[in-house]
Amino acid sequence: MDISVEIGKIKLKNPVMTASGTFGYGEEYAGFIDINELGALVVKGLSLLPKEGNPPPRIVETPAGMLNAIGLQNIGIDKFLKEKLPYLRQFNTPVIVNFFGDSIEEYVKAAGRLSSADGIHGLEMNISCPNKEAGWSVFGTDPQVTYRVVSSVRKATDLTLIVKLSPNVTDIALMANTAEDAGADAVSLINTLTGMAIDIRTRRPKLANIRGGLSGPAIKPVAVRMVWECYKKISIPIIGMGGIISADDAVEFMLAGASAVAIGTGNFINPGVTMDVLSGIKSFMSAEKLNSLKELIGRVEC
Amino acid sequence: MDISVEIGKIKLKNPVMTASGTFGYGEEYAGFIDINELGALVVKGLSLLPKEGNPPPRIVETPAGMLNAIGLQNIGIDKFLKEKLPYLRQFNTPVIVNFFGDSIEEYVKAAGRLSSADGIHGLEMNISCPNKEAGWSVFGTDPQVTYRVVSSVRKATDLTLIVKLSPNVTDIALMANTAEDAGADAVSLINTLTGMAIDIRTRRPKLANIRGGLSGPAIKPVAVRMVWECYKKISIPIIGMGGIISADDAVEFMLAGASAVAIGTGNFINPGVTMDVLSGIKSFMSAEKLNSLKELIGRVEC
Amino acid sequence: MAKNHFLLTAHPLNTMPSPDPGQFFMLSVDSRLDPLLKRPFSLHRLVLGDLQFLYRVVGKATNILKDKKAGDIMELIGPLGNGFPVNEIEEKKPVLIAGGMGIAPLVALAEKFTERQPVFFYGARNAEEILCLNELESIGITPVISTDDGTSGRKGFVTDIVEEFLYHHPSSSFDYALYSCGPKPMLETLSGIAMKYKIKAYMALEESMACGIGACLGCVIKTVDGYKRVCKEGPVFLSEEIIW
Amino acid sequence: MAKNHFLLTAHPLNTMPSPDPGQFFMLSVDSRLDPLLKRPFSLHRLVLGDLQFLYRVVGKATNILKDKKAGDIMELIGPLGNGFPVNEIEEKKPVLIAGGMGIAPLVALAEKFTERQPVFFYGARNAEEILCLNELESIGITPVISTDDGTSGRKGFVTDIVEEFLYHHPSSSFDYALYSCGPKPMLETLSGIAMKYKIKAYMALEESMACGIGACLGCVIKTVDGYKRVCKEGPVFLSEEIIW
Ligand SMILES: Cc1cc2nc3c(=O)[nH]c(=O)nc-3n(C[C@H](O)[C@H](O)[C@H](O)COP(=O)(O)OP(=O)(O)OC[C@H]3O[C@@H](n4cnc5c(N)ncnc54)[C@H](O)[C@@H]3O)c2cc1C
Ligand SMILES: Cc1cc2nc3c(=O)[nH]c(=O)nc-3n(C[C@H](O)[C@H](O)[C@H](O)COP(=O)(O)OP(=O)(O)OC[C@H]3O[C@@H](n4cnc5c(N)ncnc54)[C@H](O)[C@@H]3O)c2cc1C
Ligand SMILES: Cc1cc2nc3c(=O)[nH]c(=O)nc-3n(C[C@H](O)[C@H](O)[C@H](O)COP(=O)(O)O)c2cc1C
Ligand SMILES: Cc1cc2nc3c(=O)[nH]c(=O)nc-3n(C[C@H](O)[C@H](O)[C@H](O)COP(=O)(O)O)c2cc1C
Ligand code: FES
Ligand code: FES
């Protein structure tokens, strides 16, 4: 059975990835799973300079989901390269670095810096994080701005470039199209839906940042729909995510058009979820007598 | 304690309404609650001519939510006026008619027809139903088209005009603003988020219509966020909905900025939910020593 | 009870109209949001005022249901929908046809018909999934059994055996009336048979439901008069109404 | 056990490192999606290799937990985080201060300290919410009790009583070390007291958690070195690190 898949220049031994921001820099999960068994590992979003992030409370549970407003806290690219990347290099699992910037210039600089490091296999541009107000949040919602930032980053790196799309848009397929036209090797979707929760007794938002990003099983139907809509319109691969907690969920995303899947919130519920999903995909394929992921990807019958 | 509230020219004795499409034409719930106790009753969306709707399956449960693709099945305005409205007239609860059309002309005609009937207190324009492909679905996602259809309907009716917004947009406050500028007396939000679910064994979408509208507790964080964003930008009242199943949920929407709330999917889970929410709001207000809804609406402390 | 099949006895805490065979109830296992919606279950039997439901464990709600303990309290609404017509057809001979879990409502119906000595056909996948034989026996009914794999009764589809019966037992002195519940393909075949032999067939259908009371329009099936709600106009329909 | 407070004894089915007082476990009540996330609970006591948790019913997960039956299987991960330092401070006199549910981890800690005769202060809202007196007695500890309403022990905040104690019992021959768990405002006050009397105070903090293992950055508190994760760098912090 062949469950390998290619995302740009990266060859994944299997389609099960981790979603940025939910898997730290890998170490935290080493006690629960064999990192070598992952299709790819995507690290917490990085920026040129370290970011402090938002004050707590940063997370709140919602029906079958959760809101987070971490505020992109990260140690910065330099510290990552020095302190975290060496650890990750020991595994034979491709490392994909999620990153973001405050301006096109910063995106380009960050991509450049990351591209010269050894042991990074791909870059995932976060143009969609809904946690921060103002300026850069529009990167992922205005096609023209998206085109500019993606094509600029494209020129700055030879690594596989994945653009991570925001679901908080009217027309997701248009955004995917734009990313493809601007030179992306793949798109990943979906990032979190913007949400809010209020404590009715204190009358205060449950998150210090007021709004946060909704993730987990609650958003799966929206994510599957968006993957399907994008699959019909683009020819680069899609990494599907949003509420995956089981192999059945992963297969659903693949039928909708995802070449690979990423698991975020699911790791919190079950730190071994990636391995459970991986073995579940294999069992499903043998039960259904499938030899390759090609027989699954995009094969929903409408 | 004053829990009455005004939406345009309609005076509601309390803020608890039903959401269109989930409460039939009222009769079905008469065995479970006293219709006279409702703040207002919103009926299933009507069009000039009857509509057959989509083939089954039309609904599927999702994590803490459900997808529906009813396809706007309805008996048409004429039959409604003749067969259903007389029943509703017996109650002293305002009746709000949800309606839609295939073209601006149809919207205008429908609004005109409904406005001449006796016993209808307000109109709720559905410009947002995500269940039908093509043409009219853009009414609710393109501000210019929204402006045109709302202002045309505005000219055709003296009844209180509520515009029901789609959440499947990049900027909900812009849509609310547009509705206000075009003459709406209130906006209601949110309609369902577009979603999809696939049966991995049959490989077919779980809904015959492929995509459907996601409702229920799963979407509450998105709905609360949107109400809050709109409240800051408009001065007409907001009817908040999306995942309300308890008085706490209703109060959360009011703190975010809703003057009244509507309950949809919650009715399916508990056919007496509207009455439970109503009495829960009252208990909450007396526990918190509040005398009027004004002390709640929009009073989240950010 | 066979593997994965359970009987739930519910003692109503409020008064309710007495349910008819073929009517159903919407049941929530508890107030948690997963599963979210109530689930429909047909009345299986009415025993001293208690409601019995016979169900197969297939997913979220039924898995939780099977672990309930005596004394647990659950929310039910019902009886809902229209049951099988029983009195309208006094001159006719009832022929009951159950397929798989379709046995659930047909036991209550058989009880109503005992004096008229109904013919009872019962098909299932295998011997393990043949249920309720004792219950049927206690009301004097010995069903004609068939299984897909031949492990009990005759091997083959129950519809073939029904057709054979009708072919070999034509009657001039009375009409037959078919009463059936089971998987859609079976009901569709039966519908064809009923048409061929010009007999009335009443069948209880299933569709995914949200409200169960006619409000959401979620549970429709196509009929000669357009879409009809299984929960309100059904779940029992006359086969000739249905467009398969 | 007092109203709304329960003791859960968990027999580990897999081997695990022996937990220290102040460490915690993430627990799921079952695999349903509501509630979705695991919940953190501190080790209360380790009894013959079994883990004991003491918890108060406040919401979804704890309401389900209280209805669990002996023999039910649940998923736990842990021990997690850093517990209270026990050996580093051999020359010091331990003063334990529990506020409300903060009693939970302090019982295991008191057990470690029995030979050093710790001073134990315990504040709660009212007499009903004073727990574990028998457990403490069995290890030779009689806590100084205070309640907000005076229904047990002294009336007032436990922090006032701690301050009074430190004021009246200055010591030149040894130092005190404070060990505390309780509501944030109490810990903040205690932090000020520790600073005033120049003694070390270790406190177990709480924040909403998603992963519990340091991966999500959800559970941070502000410290002099920036945000730190309660689940990983904590839950026990030295009070001087924390920016309230
Ligand atoms: C009017 C009516 C009466 C019914 N009476 C009975 C009865 O007496 N005994 C009984 O065991 N069942 C009966 N059913 C079916 C029963 O409602 C479903 O088995 C139940 O809803 C499954 O819930 P679940 O959460 O366990 O499964 P889910 O987790 O909801 O679903 C598990 C799997 O079963 C499938 N499924 C779910 N519901 C149905 C359905 N209605 N038809 C076909 N496949 C379905 C799903 O697609 C999924 O693959 C009846 C259904 C209807 C509409
Ligand atoms: C490291 C750590 C150790 C803990 N140890 C214990 C323990 O030993 N015994 C014990 O009873 N509890 C302990 N808690 C708190 C416990 O985790 C919560 O009570 C539990 O998660 C509540 O879950 P629930 O689903 O019942 O409530 P929810 O439905 O999640 O919440 C109900 C209400 O409680 C509030 N709430 C939820 N979690 C917390 C929290 N962490 N702090 C303050 N308020 C909260 C919510 O805002 C809400 O108002 C600990 C927390 C942490 C972080
Ligand atoms: C706590 C948390 C932190 C996240 N941080 C990032 C991030 O830094 N960059 C990013 O692109 N996405 C981030 N995400 C989004 C996830 O990668 C993922 O797109 C989203 O959560 C949907 O998947 P899920 O439902 O499986 O969690 C974060 C999500 C969570 C829950
Ligand atoms: C079965 C169903 C049918 C609906 N039909 C309509 C409709 O005809 N017109 C409309 O404007 N909204 C319709 N809606 C949307 C609801 O009115 C409501 O906006 C949405 O479901 C969110 O609220 P809820 O989470 O409380 O259900 C429908 C929703 C459901 C679930
Ligand atoms: S289930 Fe709602 S109309 Fe039948
Ligand atoms: S709970 Fe995830 S980092 Fe602490």
Side-chain angles (χ1 to χ4, degrees), chain B residues 199, chain C residues 24 35 39-42 54-56 58-63 101 104-105 205-209 230 235:
Chain B
D199 183 320
Chain C
F24 69 99
R39 302 291 198 256
F41 294 96
S42 305
L54 178 70
Y55 64 96
R56 170 154 51 199
V58 298
K60 289 187 167 188
T62 47
N63 259 302
M101 276 313 297
L205 294 188
E206 291 192 5
E207 253 318 319
S208 338
M209 293 187 172
V230 170

Side-chain angles (χ1 to χ4, degrees), chain D residues 152-222:
Chain D
S152 176
R154 294 192 37 190
K155 185 178 162 122
F157 288 143
V158 66
T159 43
D160 294 340
I161 297 170
V162 170
E163 169 139 34
E164 219 174 84
F165 168 83
L166 293 173
Y167 184 80
H168 290 296
H169 300 78
S171 167
S172 47
S173 56
F174 58 77
D175 273 353
Y176 291 110
L178 307 187
Y179 294 83
S180 182
C181 184
K184 231 181 198 167
M186 169 191 130
L187 297 180
E188 185 174 351
T189 308
L190 211 55
S191 190
I193 295 173
M195 202 191 303
K196 185 163 151 197
Y197 290 85
K198 299 200 173 53
I199 46 188
K200 295 270 173 221
Y202 299 95
M203 25 192 66
L205 295 188
E206 289 191 5
E207 254 316 321
S208 335
M209 293 186 174
C211 72
I213 61 170
C216 74
L217 309 182
C219 63
V220 299
I221 54 149
K222 192 145 205 152

Side-chain angles (χ1 to χ4, degrees), chain A residues 26 55 71 163 171 237 293:
Chain A
V163 176
D171 184 352
L293 291 182

Side-chain angles (χ1 to χ4, degrees), chain A residues 61 199 206, chain D residues 22 24-25 35 38-44 53-63 101 104-105 205-209 230 235:
Chain A
E61 185 172 295
D199 183 322
K206 288 189 178 173
Chain D
F24 69 97
F25 290 76
K38 287 186 154 66
R39 302 292 200 253
F41 293 96
S42 305
L43 174 73
H44 172 53
F53 302 97
L54 178 69
Y55 63 96
R56 170 154 50 200
V57 171
V58 298
K60 288 188 167 189
T62 47
N63 259 303
M101 276 314 298
L205 295 188
E206 289 191 5
E207 254 316 321
S208 335
M209 293 186 174
V230 169

